Structures are given as structure tokens and as C-alpha cells.
Amino acid sequence: MREMRHEKLEISVFHEQLSNGLNVYVIPRPGFQQTFAMFSTKYGSIDREFVVPGEDNAIVVPDGIAHFLEHKMFEQEDGEDVFNTFARYGGSANAFTSFDMTAYLYSCTDNLAENTETLLNFVQAPYFTEQTVEKEKGIIGQEIRMYDDDPGWRVYFNLLAAMYEQHPIKIDIAGTVESISHITKDTLYQCYNTFYHPSNMNFVLVGDVNAEQMMTLVRDNQAAKDFTRQPEIQRFFPEEKPSADKQRVEQHMSVSIPKVQFGYKDPSRLTGRELLVNEYSTAIGLESIIGRSSALFNSLYEAGVVDKNFGWSYDSTPNFSHSVFGGDSKDPERLLGEVEKAFADVVKNGISEADFKRARAKLIGRSMAELDSPRGIARNFTSYRFKDAEYFDIVSVLEEITLEQVNQRLRDHLVPDRRSVSLVLPK
């Protein structure tokens, strides 16, 4: 077991890669009442074309299968409901699937060993039958139809579909009713056996815990199971042009106020510290231009063009990157026009040093505040580990970023032909 000490943050991370390839991280946080654990695989909705270990040719699986698999993992061969098992030990369990990872998690204040054993054991004991797979299609089909009727969900996925021509990020994480109709017991096992091998997974535990005791518990649990070594997974993604596929898309739904989202496709495909520098240089720039304390946001807010829910985000991964801005607006054309003018001015003249310092200080403060949440630490730490980046390096990266780096990033990112607009308008 190796200790990685982040002296400035007064945080230690204890790490060990077990003989089966599983990376285990224990992050003691003295004084925390809650313990949070996350058992995650580097497998999400975009992983639709890959080579199954032991085979020669790539296969393409139905859209939505990663999310479908997450649902099915809670079904046990003995008929026991896993949620009842956690409840018996005072644990609260959940799971989620994103574009690039699937995670199973629990939080508790007691019975740490029992809850940890339950989490590790149920995720490593898949049980699918054709009958239960067919039953699940009806349940997930209802979930998909519910999201199809959600204007906030539609304006977001319509934007991704406008930005990307080929990349599977344009497809809803849950797939479609038609795509999940092709999922079988065998395709679920193909995905499970490929992506749920310990060498493709992380176990992260955060709380007021003894690192050596918890590492021993996980080590003994894994040693009692039989996993053969697996080669690195071959995944395939289509070539994607740098420009947006469509400049603008519209959909009419039952809404009282138009919903508007716009964003910029980004060709950045980085990992490690380079990814952090790129992500947070972009974040400082966008926060300074259109964050809550910016002059642009406040002028739009005071004019009634946006409300307090208007915001921005920037996602950077080794496989896709883009920014998204949006919210509700009574006058989306004015919003788009004023933002376009402001962005063009920033690209030409740059942001001021005062705005740069204000935005950077805000992001440092937000990053420090997140360290008070065991859930936030576990989720962010896991996500950045899958990108070969260190979550606890964010504050030092922010402190090193310069005004010149931010202005160059804004010039590289805010390119007009990479912008798409998505509108959901009243019928």
C-alpha cells in the first residue's frame, strides 16, 4: 500500500493495485460522520464498439446497453434484493451510468465492513436470464419515454446531436425503445465480461476510516475470487470532424418559456495534468465571461432575458470535449445575439486581469468547498482517475494558470463554426 500525500490540502490517499488488477483507493477524512464508497468501471454509453477478450473481431452492441446492464446488476441469483441487504446494515445504495463510466455506491455511518462486502460481492456476481431481461425492457422503456417528454432533457440531447456527426455521445445514455429491444442475456454477459474485469475498475472509499484495515478487507475479498488476467480493452470510436454538424436545431413542445442551449465542440483529447490545465483554463475564461458575477450575466438577468438558473459547463475527456451554456429565456434571439457579440469581443481583446483573478478565486473556493463532501470526493476522484488525472491537483493547477493561457484557450475554443444552438419552443 502506497501513501500519496497532498500536504497543502492535508489529505492522504492510500493506493494499492491488487493482483487481479483492481485499483483500490482509501481516503481517510478524520471527523467525517459519513463514509462513502464507490465501485466503478470505465464503461459508459459511448462504449458501443469493442473487442471481447479472447476474440479477434470487434462487435457493435445495442445503444443503451451500459445503462441496461447497471439496472440488471441489482438482481441476484438467490432472489435477494440488494437494497434490502444494504438497508439491513444501515447503508443507502445507488448507481448511475454516464457517457464514460458506470458506478455503484453506498453511504453509511456504521457497519462499514458489511456494507463494503455487500457492494463488492453483488457487483461481481452477475445473474441474467432471458425472462428477466425481457421484463426489464418494459421498465426501461417507460423511463426512456419519460425522458422523451422532458423539455430540459430534449434541449440538451438535441444540442449534442447537432454538435456531433458520428460520435456516440449524441445518443441518449438509456438508448431508445427500439435499440434496447435487441439486448439479450448473451450481449449483457459479453459487456459484463469485457468491462467489469477488476483491471478496468476502481474502488474508492472516503471517510473517517483506518486505511490499513479497509485495504486488508478489500484485498481479502478479492483474493477469494477467481479472475484471470485480461489484456487492455480495445475500443473504437468513429472519426469526428472538428466543426459542428448542424448550426441550429429546434423542437416544439408543451413549454411556457423557451429553453435554449448552445455550445462549442472542442477537438481537445487530453489526459493527465494536461487535461486539468486545459479544463480549468477554459473554466476560468467561461466563468469570467458569463458566470453569475460577470457583467454579461447581470445585464441579461436585469433585462429579464435569462433567469437565475442560466449556467454553463465544460466537459473534457480523452474521447470528447465541449462546452454547454443555457437555461430558460423569454427572448432567446436576443440572448444568442448578445452572447455572440460578447464572445467575439473576448476572442479579439481578451478578458481583463481583474475578471481573471475574480473567476480563478471563485473556482479555487468552490474546489476547496467540495473537499467537505465524501460523496463529491469519491465521485470526482474516480472520474479523474479514469482520465489518468489527479483530482487533488486541481487547486495547484488553478493557482498556476496565467491570464495569457486563459485568453489563448478562449481563442482556441470559441470558434464560430464549432458552435451549435438548440431551442425547445412553445407549440
Side-chain angles (χ1 to χ4, degrees):
M1 183 173 72
R2 181 170 67 99
E3 179 181 3
M4 299 176 288
R5 181 68 179 168
H6 299 269
E7 203 60 54
K8 194 168 183 179
L9 301 178
E10 299 182 340
I11 291 176
S12 288
V13 178
F14 293 88
H15 170 238
E16 182 171 326
Q17 185 177 44
L18 306 184
S19 59
N20 62 15
L22 177 65
N23 281 295
V24 183
Y25 301 90
V26 181
I27 306 173
R29 298 294 284 150
F32 277 28
Q33 296 300 310
Q34 185 186 59
T35 298
F36 196 92
M38 183 174 285
F39 194 19
S40 310
T41 170
K42 187 179 179 182
Y43 171 49
S45 64
I46 64 172
D47 295 301
R48 61 196 299 269
E49 184 174 3
F50 56 88
V51 177
V52 176
E55 298 185 6
D56 297 325
N57 300 317
I59 62 169
V60 178
V61 293
D63 295 328
I65 195 168
H67 170 260
F68 197 106
L69 181 54
E70 174 221 311
H71 272 235
K72 293 304 298 173
M73 288 306 300
F74 286 91
E75 190 172 288
Q76 299 292 284
E77 187 171 4
D78 61 4
E80 173 78 13
D81 186 326
V82 176
F83 289 106
N84 288 340
T85 308
F86 279 109
R88 188 159 59 245
Y89 296 128
S92 176
N94 209 337
F96 67 86
T97 304
S98 69
F99 292 119
D100 55 1
M101 65 181 278
T102 305
Y104 303 84
L105 49 100
Y106 78 78
S107 61
C108 70
T109 57
D110 202 359
N111 298 316
L112 181 57
E114 291 83 355
N115 282 303
T116 299
E117 294 272 7
T118 301
L119 178 63
L120 291 168
N121 291 341
F122 96 80
V123 174
Q124 294 183 320
Y127 176 68
F128 316 128
T129 67
E130 293 292 3
Q131 184 179 24
T132 58
V133 169
E134 289 304 311
K135 181 182 177 183
E136 195 70 30
K137 290 177 184 176
I139 297 169
I140 295 180
Q142 290 180 348
E143 183 181 336
I144 291 171
R145 292 187 186 93
M146 181 183 71
Y147 281 112
D148 284 344
D149 291 335
D150 183 335
W153 193 255
R154 290 272 44 92
V155 73
Y156 175 61
F157 272 95
N158 289 349
L159 176 66
L160 295 182
M163 280 185 187
Y164 292 89
E165 181 185 24
Q166 305 276 352
H167 197 285
I169 192 176
K170 65 187 292 183
I171 302 166
D172 194 308
I173 290 170
T176 65
V177 173
E178 196 280 330
S179 70
I180 66 170
S181 71
H182 301 291
I183 293 174
T184 66
K185 170 176 68 75
D186 293 335
T187 54
L188 286 176
Y189 275 117
Q190 282 180 314
C191 293
Y192 182 88
N193 291 332
T194 302
F195 295 105
Y196 280 65
H197 189 277
S199 59
N200 190 52
M201 302 185 73
N202 286 341
F203 178 83
V204 177
L205 189 143
V206 183
D208 190 353
V209 299
N210 181 299
E212 183 59 51
Q213 288 179 1
M214 293 312 303
M215 195 65 77
T216 300
L217 187 153
V218 177
R219 191 187 300 127
D220 291 347
N221 176 282
Q222 295 298 289
K225 299 171 182 174
D226 184 22
F227 291 100
T228 56
R229 274 286 184 175
Q230 179 173 285
E232 187 171 346
I233 301 167
Q234 297 181 62
R235 312 168 197 240
F236 302 94
F237 298 96
E239 290 289 328
E240 183 71 34
K241 62 185 179 183
S243 60
D245 188 45
K246 299 181 182 69
Q247 293 290 307
R248 182 181 175 113
V249 290
E250 295 181 5
Q251 183 175 357
H252 290 266
M253 300 181 72
S254 297
V255 295
S256 56
I257 300 175
K259 292 186 178 298
V260 55
Q261 290 198 356
F262 56 97
Y264 290 80
K265 193 175 176 180
D266 192 327
S268 301
R269 301 290 183 270
L270 302 172
T271 59
R273 196 173 179 88
E274 277 189 316
L275 178 143
L276 291 179
V277 172
N278 180 75
E279 179 176 338
Y280 283 91
S281 297
T282 312
I284 292 172
L286 299 184
E287 179 62 27
S288 70
I289 303 172
I290 201 166
R292 290 289 179 82
S293 56
S294 68
L296 176 60
F297 174 83
N298 282 288
S299 68
L300 293 168
Y301 181 78
E302 290 172 4
V305 177
V306 300
D307 61 22
K308 64 181 181 180
N309 294 317
F310 183 89
W312 65 268
S313 65
Y314 177 71
D315 287 328
S316 179
T317 81
N319 292 306
F320 62 86
S321 299
H322 55 251
S323 57
V324 174
F325 311 78
D328 293 345
S329 175
K330 295 178 181 177
D331 193 347
E333 299 307 329
R334 180 177 171 184
L335 167 62
L336 294 169
E338 293 199 22
V339 168
E340 188 173 4
K341 182 180 174 185
F343 282 13
D345 181 68
V346 164
V347 168
K348 181 179 179 182
N349 301 310
I351 62 172
S352 69
E353 185 166 0
D355 285 342
F356 163 74
K357 289 182 176 178
R358 171 182 52 78
R360 186 174 66 170
K362 179 178 178 179
L363 292 174
I364 290 173
R366 189 174 71 187
S367 297
M368 296 295 291
E370 288 173 352
L371 300 180
D372 292 334
S373 164
R375 177 187 296 269
I377 291 173
R379 178 161 183 160
N380 289 326
F381 185 88
T382 299
S383 176
Y384 280 111
R385 281 311 311 148
F386 284 146
K387 303 171 190 173
D388 295 326
E390 292 295 338
Y391 170 57
F392 294 121
D393 284 348
I394 289 175
V395 172
S396 65
V397 165
L398 278 164
E399 290 174 339
E400 292 170 6
I401 289 172
T402 65
L403 174 60
E404 290 71 25
Q405 281 178 294
V406 171
N407 281 328
Q408 184 59 52
R409 263 305 292 157
L410 293 173
R411 286 192 289 273
D412 292 341
H413 182 61
L414 300 176
V415 178
D417 74 354
R418 294 177 187 163
R419 188 179 86 145
S420 294
V421 174
S422 171
L423 295 170
V424 168
L425 302 168
K427 286 183 175 177

